[in-house]
């Protein structure tokens, strides 16, 4: 019997593994799931008779590599920096690989070897990156083949909380890696094109110049992510007036989060030691000038940065003004201390459902006229296990896996990302069956 | 004949090499100077009959290491990351080493080997670090031995331009590594203690909360540098209410420089490509929101950040608003583009003299009373070669070298920095002969 090897079985793998198991009988495969924590792998397999769980060693890759060589397809869900090491072994063994992660330079360097081995290593086929690439390129290709000339492209995606589960003033709960949430926008300058000019925004400005976005009557704000200029080449969009990829949040979130950024409360570059009995308000004063020591923390923030009433209420709701209670961990970077707080405050609770929102805007010229088309989708999760995040990361991967195992394949070899019709023509229609339906509209400008 | 080996002969080595040559006859040594660029080494030796120039290989260390083994003392003036590699060879050969650079972790790790070999590897014996350590520790030790209890320590140093050569609105010219000037304060969060609390300032805030400092009737402003908290241990200053080490600039400089920081114009984390014929004003617009496109660049800055008339005049003086002329290099990080501009605009010209200002403040309690003592010096340079920067970096090194070669030595082995009386009792009195005279004053608070 053919087999699919899933490496890594963390929270974001729930839907992927379930879907692969659900399809195992009809497609005639078994699903072998490995994780550093055997019980996590076992739980995901949940006794399915076509499933098998095993333990990934933390010390060596002997078992992992043996399993890779025996598999017909590898789904690499390990931490991103490990994908290339998985892919190297798989390419040598002639086994194709799928990952949801951004293509690294190390992975790119395996392209020639993969082509020589006749193996497809398909990256960036989750939500973002993944569904964003496919849904955007489908429209871009349509516009171009219809004689349009692309002038602007903007694309924003956010993992949020469903309206019915939204019961905090940030309108946000955590459906993915909390560390990435705390460090969002802080990894480096954002570069993009806007109004015909190359633009750079340093990390302390990205939450300030926001893009207003409306989806299904709800107002969001988007901030730019890292290197959008690379998409001139990746999406073949030369001479754009506007080229921005970013993240969206419910209106108000970014304005308030910016205060944490301004004050340095999400810095990850220096470890500090606070006294073990420090309160949150005292901790917060680490980021405020000494001349504000006589004020309340809320007043001190107003005297230091341009905040507002709603923001200070949000900071207070997080507990940052608390004079009785303090951080549980008192040694670490500010980002680490804040992360430990947010994991509790922004937890998806039993019965909560998350939500994904994606929005693209395409501006183009055709026959002397100028048009703007938008394409958007939103999807609510099914609960705290099969979240919208888990669904939208796992389903494109599972659909791609099925197409490669029993559907004839994508007709490509080498190290790829899904930006061409051979991918989006297969994956997008299947995703619609799961509710990932893009709604388009167009206006003349 | 004994010999001192000087590795590296760049601009900051002028005074060091001159002084070693000047003393060579009386002290009975020869001075061997190596540089990647032979002509630079030759120029510094300038035909002195006790001097010798040779070329350091860019490919291997064979010649360098042979010279180290033959020397009686090595002055390592190579780029900081290379000092440890020099020290390793020297320790194995039993040859002591002097460097002006901050002690790296790699260098620290050689302490045991140096002790076993009975070799002194003396680091941080230039200006800052160097003279700052010695002058501060001398006072701290005095206060403590006099029964005082240290409560606060602040120390600021700046390389500036002498008043008579100050003819630009920034009141600044470049007397050391221009790259470090552009990236000042941007390498990571500053951490320090202020009013009894641990404080963190992210790079986008360090030029905003400034310390007013007056030396010889001139007003300066100081900003904190990186990790001041480490000096609790290095200077043995536990339980300080205030502990800050920083850099000072003429009043107004930091406020204007902060605008470049705020806008992202000194970011070094992303390389961009601008069009080759771009003007400076268009380049500056890369950092301004598109909604300001209809304004002048000066108006656009005012609409984006909290600037002021003086600051915009300073930016205009730099040429950043120029609509005709543009950057000579148009590919690189913003920091690289700005550095190329500043190297020209802030150049020390023929006849110009630079200036060093250092200011310490010690707060302590004694017999139930509280006192503040300040200790400060300023020194003007002798020209564009023997700058105050070159003098204050090179003279402490040359004094230490002479003491180690013919003065009986410091009585220490291992990897050291000069924070104890065996160093400052020797070096500070000698420095006074060259005009490095600290002026102290004390008040009761």
């Amino acid at each position: 019997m053919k087999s699919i090897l899933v490496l890594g079985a963390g929270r974001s793998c729930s839907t992927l593994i379930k879907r692969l198991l659900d399809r195992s009988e009809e497609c005639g495969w078994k699903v072998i799931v490995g994780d550093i924590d055997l019980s996590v792998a076992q739980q995901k397999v949940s006794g399915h008779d076509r499933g098998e769980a095993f333990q990934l060693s933390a010390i060596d890759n002997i078992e992992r590599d043996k399993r890779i060589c025996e598999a017909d397809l590898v789904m690499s869900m390990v931490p991103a920096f490990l994908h290339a090491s998985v892919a190297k072994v798989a390419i040598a063994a002639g086994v194709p690989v799928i990952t949801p992660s951004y293509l690294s330079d190390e992975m790119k360097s395996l392209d020639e070897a993969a082509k020589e081995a006749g193996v497809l290593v398909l990256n960036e086929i989750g939500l973002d990156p993944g569904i964003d690439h496919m849904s955007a390129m489908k429209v871009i290709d349509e516009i171009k083949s219809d004689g349009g000339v692309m002038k602007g492209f903007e694309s924003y995606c956010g993992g949020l909380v469903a309206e019915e589960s939204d019961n905090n003033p940030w309108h946000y709960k955590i459906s993915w890696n909390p560390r990435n949430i705390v460090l969002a926008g802080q990894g480096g300058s954002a570069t993009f094109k806007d109004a015909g000019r190359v633009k750079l925004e340093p990390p302390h400005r990205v939450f300030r110049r926001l893009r207003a976005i409306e989806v299904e009557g709800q107002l969001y704000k988007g901030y730019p992510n890292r290197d959008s200029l690379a998409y001139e080449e990746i999406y073949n969009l030369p001479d754009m007036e506007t080229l921005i990829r970013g993240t969206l949040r419910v209106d108000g979130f970014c304005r308030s989060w910016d205060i944490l950024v301004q004050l340095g409360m999400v810095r990850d570059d220096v470890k500090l030691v606070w006294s073990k009995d420090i309160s949150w308000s005292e901790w917060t004063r680490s980021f405020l000038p000494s001349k504000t020591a006589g004020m309340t923390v809320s007043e001190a923030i107003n005297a230091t940065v341009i905040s507002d009433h709603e923001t200070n209420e949000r900071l207070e709701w997080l507990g940052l003004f608390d004079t009785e209670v303090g951080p549980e961990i008192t040694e670490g970077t500010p980002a680490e201390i804040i992360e430990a707080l947010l994991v509790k405050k922004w937890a998806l609770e039993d019965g909560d459902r998350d939500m994904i929102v994606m929005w693209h805007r395409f501006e183009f010229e055709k026959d002397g006229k100028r048009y703007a088309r938008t394409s958007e989708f939103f999807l609510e999760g099914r609960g705290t296990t099969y979240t919208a995040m888990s669904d939208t990361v796992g389903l494109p991967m599972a659909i791609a896996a099925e197409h490669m195992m029993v559907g004839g394949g994508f007709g490509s070899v080498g190290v790829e990302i899904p930006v061409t019709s051979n991918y989006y023509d297969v994956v997008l229609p299947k995703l619609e069956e799961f509710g990932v339906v893009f709604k388009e509209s167009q206006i003349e400008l």
Side-chain angles (χ1 to χ4, degrees), chain A residues 13-228:
Chain A
C13 306
S14 303
T15 304
L16 170 65
I17 294 170
K18 174 91 166 38
R19 172 74 187 166
L20 293 176
L21 287 167
D22 285 352
R23 299 290 296 157
S24 58
E25 191 125 3
E26 190 169 332
C27 298
W29 64 48
K30 56 182 182 177
V31 181
I32 298 164
V33 178
D35 197 278
I36 297 273
D37 184 339
L38 179 60
S39 68
V40 167
Q42 284 169 332
Q43 188 213 326
K44 291 286 190 306
V45 169
S46 72
H48 196 289
D49 58 5
R50 284 181 178 253
E52 180 188 338
F54 74 100
Q55 185 159 24
L56 281 170
S57 165
I59 297 157
D60 64 55
N61 293 325
I62 297 168
E63 176 74 8
R64 183 196 79 171
D65 294 349
K66 184 173 83 71
R67 298 279 189 168
I68 291 173
C69 295
E70 292 166 357
D72 296 284
L73 175 64
V74 177
M75 317 295 284
S76 186
M77 304 296 284
V78 293
F81 73 97
L82 293 171
H83 290 317
S85 131
V86 168
K88 261 181 219 167
V89 178
I91 290 167
V95 181
V97 179
I98 296 178
T99 92
S101 302
Y102 277 106
L103 192 54
S104 64
D105 286 339
E106 197 185 357
M107 190 65 108
K108 260 184 226 167
S109 73
L110 302 177
D111 183 51
E112 206 174 318
K115 279 186 176 129
E116 273 172 28
V119 164
L120 174 61
V121 179
L122 180 56
N123 304 272
E124 304 193 17
I125 183 147
L127 165 64
D128 169 15
I131 295 177
D132 56 348
H133 291 333
M134 293 185 280
S135 54
M137 286 308 299
K138 178 172 173 286
V139 175
I140 290 169
D141 288 346
E142 273 169 22
I143 288 170
K144 286 182 177 178
S145 71
D146 202 32
V149 176
M150 287 289 297
K151 290 292 174 183
F153 174 67
E154 296 170 81
S155 177
Y156 292 89
C157 182
L160 306 165
V161 61
E163 199 180 338
E164 62 176 45
S165 306
D166 175 3
N167 56 2
N168 78 51
W170 291 83
H171 310 299
Y172 190 79
K173 294 190 180 183
I174 295 174
S175 59
W176 60 300
N177 186 339
R179 184 166 163 81
N180 289 356
I181 289 164
V182 173
L183 298 182
Q186 302 307 293
S189 297
T191 52
F192 52 93
K193 280 188 92 169
D194 193 18
R197 286 192 174 95
V198 166
K199 297 278 179 180
L200 180 147
E201 278 181 5
H204 60 270
R205 291 196 65 78
V206 290
F207 291 106
R208 296 195 152 186
R209 264 186 264 162
L210 303 171
R211 174 36 141 152
I213 295 161
E214 199 183 319
V215 176
E216 298 283 325
Q218 173 69 55
L219 189 63
Y220 302 97
K221 291 282 173 70
Y223 62 90
N225 264 344
R226 298 302 293 264
D227 181 14
S228 296

Side-chain angles (χ1 to χ4, degrees), chain A residues 263 282 284-296 300 303-304:
Chain A
L263 294 176
E282 278 298 305
T284 300
R285 285 188 196 277
S286 307
F287 307 92
L288 294 165
S290 296
K291 66 177 181 192
T292 64
M295 308 175 187
T296 67
T304 306

